[in-house]
Structures are given as structure tokens and as C-alpha cells.
Amino acid sequence: MPRPTTWIPQFIDMIGKLTNTSLSCVPPFIQLAGAAALRDARAERDRYMAEFRRKVALLVQELGRVEGVVAAMPGGSFYVFPSVAQLCNRLGITSHGLAMYLLEGADPRRGVACLGGECFGDAGAGFLRLSCAETDERLREAVDFIAEAVTRTDRVAAYLASRPEHQLAAEYPAEEPAAARR
């Protein structure tokens, strides 16, 4: 076996190259694949983009049925970021708490996974983030679940009693966002 002092510099050099190509930047063959996809697969990309735009519009429309939720069409995302400030103020729960309640407190057998706006900083407080990367039927089921879950004030109160950190300390501004009024 070679002495450590002879192979350590070569080993360090090899680890550096491995780290650089796998963690620090995209390997060249992946860059070439990405360029080919952008060049040759525009129709496929456009089909997926149109499908996600349709799903986003569906989710925004469905969320509009839930009292206290104001959803606007996003400019370019497959996430919807509705204001739930009115709803949170009525229930006395933070939007992060509402997201957690929908996931783990509203029903012992099922839930809706979303993020509370606080995950995105102070400006996100009073909002939820929902993904449209599901079938239309599951998106409708999720909104139906939300609409029903927020009427169960007894369950919300029980959830807040067990998770007081999610109690709303001060009401959110509940005006409709400008984008939602369009």
C-alpha cells in the first residue's frame, strides 16, 4: 500500500472534482440534455404548461367557493397562494396553524397538505400555498375537504387547545388583495 502522503493529494483532487460536478454545478451531459429539451421538446413543454394553467384556474375557481378565502390567478406558477385572512381571523388560527390543522387535525383519516404563508416570511402571513400537481378530482376533493373542515369550529378549538402556538395573536388585515379584485 502506498504511503498516505503520496496518495492524499490525488484523493483530495478527485473528491474536489466529484464535489464540483455533483454538488456545485450541473454536469455537462445534463446541460446538453436540458438544451436539447428546450430546443426539441417545445410542444411537450407547451402542453404541460397549458395543463398546469388549466389546473391553476380550476383550483382558483374552486377556492372561490370557500367563504373567507380569496384566490387570485398567479402570474406563472403551479401553486395558488390564496388569502385566508378572513377565515383565520374568524377561527382565531394562524395561516400556518390552519395548514397544520388541515393536515393533521381536521380528520383523523385524511387531510390536505399545504403550507402556511408564514413559511414565506411576514408578507405571507394570512395566506396558504397549495400545489396544483394533482388530478382535477383530487383538487376538487381537497377544496371540498377545506370547505367542510373550516366549519367544524369544535375541531378547530380542540386543535388550538392542543397546539396553542397556532393561536392567532393579532388579526390579519382582511382586505381583498388587489390581484383578487381583477
Side-chain angles (χ1 to χ4, degrees):
M1 177 172 231
R3 294 176 48 118
T5 56
T6 61
W7 59 269
I8 287 180
Q10 295 165 336
F11 180 74
I12 291 172
D13 184 52
M14 186 60 70
I15 293 295
K17 289 177 184 175
L18 179 66
T19 301
N20 185 47
T21 58
S22 64
L23 300 176
S24 298
C25 61
V26 179
F29 74 96
I30 299 294
Q31 292 178 32
L32 293 171
L38 289 171
R39 182 182 61 246
D40 301 332
R42 286 195 171 121
E44 186 73 3
R45 179 207 59 202
D46 292 346
R47 186 175 67 77
Y48 274 100
M49 289 178 69
E51 179 65 7
F52 274 115
R53 271 193 296 275
R54 187 190 63 72
K55 286 178 174 290
V56 166
L58 171 68
L59 187 56
V60 167
Q61 177 185 336
E62 292 294 312
L63 286 167
R65 297 185 298 110
V66 182
E67 186 180 340
V69 176
V70 178
M73 278 296 289
S77 174
F78 64 88
Y79 295 106
V80 175
F81 204 64
S83 171
V84 290
Q86 295 172 26
L87 187 57
C88 289
N89 291 345
R90 182 168 38 96
L91 297 172
I93 192 169
T94 65
S95 56
H96 178 68
L98 178 61
M100 297 306 296
Y101 165 74
L102 292 170
L103 181 62
E104 63 186 17
D107 188 302
R109 296 173 311 277
R110 61 193 184 117
V112 169
C114 56
L115 289 175
E118 288 87 350
C119 294
F120 304 97
D122 292 341
F127 292 83
L128 292 178
R129 186 184 80 167
L130 297 113
S131 171
C132 295
E134 282 293 343
T135 65
D136 292 359
E137 182 60 27
R138 287 191 51 121
L139 294 174
R140 286 186 185 100
E141 286 174 7
V143 174
D144 289 344
F145 179 86
I146 292 168
E148 192 271 327
V150 299
T151 65
R152 304 206 47 214
T153 54
D154 57 327
R155 286 195 76 91
V156 174
Y159 184 76
L160 285 172
S162 68
R163 308 267 189 335
E165 68 273 18
H166 295 313
Q167 290 183 353
L168 189 61
E171 286 196 352
Y172 295 124
E175 298 175 47
E176 287 187 10
R181 287 180 265 172
R182 287 192 257 168

